[in-house]
Amino acid sequence: MTMTAFNLTMPERRMTSVVFASPHSGRVYPPAFLRKAVLDAHQIRSSEDAFVDQLLASVPHHGAPLLTALVPRAYLDLNRGPDELDSALIEGVRRNPHNPRITSGLGVIPRVVANGRQIYRGKISLQDAHDRIARYWRPYHDQLQTLLDESRNHFGEAILIDCHSMPNEAVENIGPPGSARPDIVLGDRFGATVSGEIVERVEAAFAAAGLRVARNMPFAGAFITQHYGRPSRRQHALQIEMNRALYMDETTLEKRADFDAFKSLLEGVIAEIAEIGAAKTDRLAAE
C-alpha cells in the first residue's frame, strides 16, 4: 500500500505568518500494520486526534497554510524526535531509561495506544522503524520547516499553531475541586517557545468564543513545540489541545450532533489567530 505522509492545503494568497498543523489526525492504516497489531481496527484509533483536520478546514480561507498528517499516530508519531526509539519494541535498539516517553511506550514508533494498550504481538525490525521515519517523518517535518522558513522570509517571523485533541479525562483534575474542566490547553513549554504577546492573544480568542482555557497543564508541548519554538529567531510554536468531548463521542469515535456548530465556533477563533500574524505583517511593512 502506498501512503503519503501529509496533506498540504495552501491559501490562494498567504496573508499571515501563521502556519496551522495537525500531526496526529492521520487515519490511513496500512493493512500490513493492522495484521501485526493485537488491537482491532476500532481500538487502534484511540490515539488519533480524530476530526481535528476537519475542524481546521477553514484555515486556508484566512490566508494561512494547513498541514495535516495522513499517517496515523499508532504507526508513527510525528510529535516525537526521530531518535526516540523504543528498545522494548524495536530489535537492536539500546535501552534509554532517561526518556519517560520511550519508557511509557510512546516513542517515535509507539508501542502502545491510549490507556497503555499494547499495539504489537512482538517486536519490529530496526529497518522497519528507519523506513517509517524516512518515508513519513522526514517529509512531514521537511515540509513544516519549509512553511515556517517561507513565513519568516515573507513576513519577518513565523508562528506555528500545532493542533491536537485531548481526552476529557485528561483534564478532570485541573483546577480547584468542583471547577469546570478546561476546553483548551495551550502549551508553550512554560513561556519558552512563543512570545507572551502571542499566547495572550490566542488565549483571548478562545475565551471570547466562550471556551475555558488553561496553560501548560497537563500538556506543555512535546517535540514539535520544543523543536520549532525559537522566539529569539522570530520562529514561534504554540501547542493547542482541544477537549474531545466538545465535538465527538470518545467511546464510539463518532462526531457529536453539534459537530458543525463547534466547527463554526472554531472558525472564528482561527480567524482571530490568523490575524495575529497579519497584524505583525502590517506593522513590519510600516517599519
Side-chain angles (χ1 to χ4, degrees):
M1 176 181 178
T2 301
M3 179 170 60
T4 54
F6 61 83
N7 184 62
L8 174 62
T9 308
M10 296 295 293
E12 290 186 9
R13 178 187 170 204
R14 285 180 77 165
M15 302 172 62
T16 175
S17 62
V18 178
V19 173
F20 289 81
S22 173
H24 287 161
S25 56
R27 52 187 175 273
V28 181
Y29 291 84
F33 166 65
L34 293 176
R35 286 194 295 269
K36 292 180 181 179
V38 177
L39 304 173
D40 63 34
H42 182 81
Q43 293 170 329
I44 208 164
R45 293 189 59 206
S46 61
S47 288
E48 273 181 32
D49 284 345
F51 311 121
V52 168
D53 53 344
Q54 296 180 35
L55 290 173
L56 300 175
S58 67
V59 161
H61 301 304
H62 300 284
L66 174 61
L67 180 68
T68 58
L70 297 179
V71 59
R73 182 184 187 183
Y75 182 75
L76 175 76
D77 193 337
L78 295 166
N79 198 22
R80 297 290 183 265
D83 59 344
E84 293 188 73
L85 299 173
D86 186 351
S87 63
L89 173 65
I90 304 166
E91 295 172 349
V93 172
R94 299 177 68 176
R95 185 169 176 264
N96 184 346
H98 305 296
N99 187 316
R101 293 193 291 249
I102 296 176
T103 302
S104 62
L106 298 172
V108 66
I109 310 292
R111 176 168 31 97
V112 301
V113 293
N115 299 316
R117 290 174 291 185
Q118 296 283 333
I119 297 173
Y120 299 90
R121 292 186 175 86
K123 289 193 171 186
I124 67 171
S125 70
L126 183 58
Q127 185 61 54
D128 185 356
H130 284 163
D131 285 347
R132 295 186 199 187
I133 292 167
R135 292 180 182 178
Y136 307 115
W137 191 98
R138 297 201 184 281
Y140 180 90
H141 283 275
D142 286 348
Q143 182 61 75
L144 179 55
Q145 186 61 68
T146 295
L147 291 169
L148 296 175
D149 289 344
E150 289 172 351
S151 281
R152 284 197 300 171
N153 290 337
H154 287 35
F155 306 119
E157 70 167 8
I159 303 171
L160 171 61
I161 303 297
D162 193 52
C163 299
H164 300 259
S165 68
M166 59 186 177
N168 188 45
E169 65 179 15
V171 290
E172 62 184 2
N173 295 318
I174 301 300
S179 63
R181 300 176 183 181
D183 301 312
I184 306 293
V185 175
L186 305 181
D188 64 356
R189 302 303 301 176
F190 302 96
T193 64
V194 59
S195 78
E197 177 191 356
I198 292 172
V199 179
E200 292 286 349
R201 291 193 60 181
V202 171
E203 181 171 353
F206 280 110
L211 297 169
R212 296 180 296 271
V213 184
R215 293 195 196 182
N216 292 310
M217 291 295 291
F219 304 106
F223 172 80
I224 288 174
T225 312
Q226 292 175 288
H227 180 74
Y228 292 100
R230 297 289 184 269
S232 63
R233 303 178 190 173
R234 302 185 68 82
Q235 180 172 289
H236 306 268
L238 178 64
Q239 178 176 283
I240 293 178
E241 295 274 1
M242 295 180 284
N243 192 330
R244 293 172 186 166
L246 293 168
Y247 57 88
M248 64 178 282
D249 184 312
E250 295 183 71
T251 301
T252 64
L253 301 181
E254 295 178 349
K255 298 175 183 176
R256 283 178 35 159
D258 57 355
F259 178 89
D260 288 338
F262 180 74
K263 182 179 177 181
S264 296
L265 179 75
L266 193 61
E267 180 170 5
V269 177
I270 288 169
E272 290 291 328
I273 295 174
E275 186 61 27
I276 296 171
K280 295 260 187 185
T281 301
D282 292 342
R283 190 165 69 232
L284 285 166
E287 293 173 352

